[in-house]
Amino acid sequence: AAAAAAAAAAAAAAAATAAAAADELVNQNEVLTVAAVSADGLTITTRETIQFIHYGGEYQAEVALLTRRILFTSDATSASTGIGPHTTSRSPDMRITGAAFERWGARNRPGRYSIHYHLAGNAPNAYIKNVAVYNSNWRCITIHGTNDVTLFGNVGLNVPGHCYYLEDGVEERN
């Protein structure tokens, strides 16, 4: 079991944020590859050397796992054009869990968000859990005219626009 965990960790990518307060205007987010995790789970060793100081303790540096078993990605031209695929669901039952979305969404195109609930009404069975959205072209998760969606354990990194967006502002219990 330990060998399997070490192999899984070796392929994982993690992001670290929370640099010094004096550096708040400089992007010091780093994406690193996990090489090993200590037996007690408190120490991560990365393949790359960390380039910036990330404060722990009082500031609680943020570390997020980006790697998922399922990856939805667009081609490399999406990064330069700002136009990538998007999801739009009018179903109150859309559920996504354990997936990653890379280079999704269409920059500055309303309704073309990485993940988008669109006028689905009351959706108590809908959820997005443990999803990573990174290097997106536009937003992470948008909820428009939809209520009762559960968002849990999701990660967004390097995303222009709001990462979590209630489009009309009247959406409830999300």
Side-chain angles (χ1 to χ4, degrees):
T17 63
D23 298 328
E24 65 187 32
L25 299 179
V26 178
N27 180 352
Q28 293 186 359
N29 294 335
E30 298 184 65
V31 176
L32 309 164
T33 305
V34 176
V37 179
S38 65
D40 62 8
L42 298 177
T43 304
I44 297 172
T45 303
T46 61
R47 287 185 187 164
E48 303 85 2
T49 302
I50 293 177
Q51 300 299 308
F52 303 103
I53 295 172
H54 298 279
Y55 290 93
E58 179 183 348
Y59 295 102
Q60 297 187 5
E62 299 161 345
V63 176
L65 183 65
L66 299 176
T67 304
R68 301 293 191 269
R69 289 187 182 266
I70 301 167
L71 172 63
F72 297 98
T73 188
S74 65
D75 62 26
T77 60
S78 170
S80 61
T81 64
I83 308 297
H86 65 277
T87 49
T88 300
S89 176
R90 291 178 174 84
S91 169
D93 296 315
M94 180 174 78
R95 299 176 190 147
I96 303 172
T97 187
F101 295 79
E102 179 185 31
R103 293 190 304 263
W104 274 52
R107 190 169 300 126
N108 295 321
R109 294 192 181 191
R112 301 298 183 250
Y113 313 117
S114 297
I115 302 171
H116 182 196
Y117 284 96
H118 184 73
L119 304 176
N122 293 326
N125 297 321
Y127 60 77
I128 299 174
K129 296 180 181 179
N130 302 312
V131 165
V133 178
Y134 55 94
N135 301 328
S136 170
N137 295 311
W138 193 239
R139 308 198 192 285
C140 292
I141 300 169
T142 298
I143 300 174
H144 177 207
T146 306
N147 304 312
D148 301 304
V149 176
T150 298
L151 303 180
F152 178 81
N154 301 302
V155 175
L157 178 71
N158 293 335
V159 177
H162 298 84
C163 197
Y164 301 98
Y165 179 47
L166 300 174
E167 194 164 343
D168 288 336
V170 297
E171 294 81 7
E172 299 178 332
R173 299 175 303 280
N174 293 304

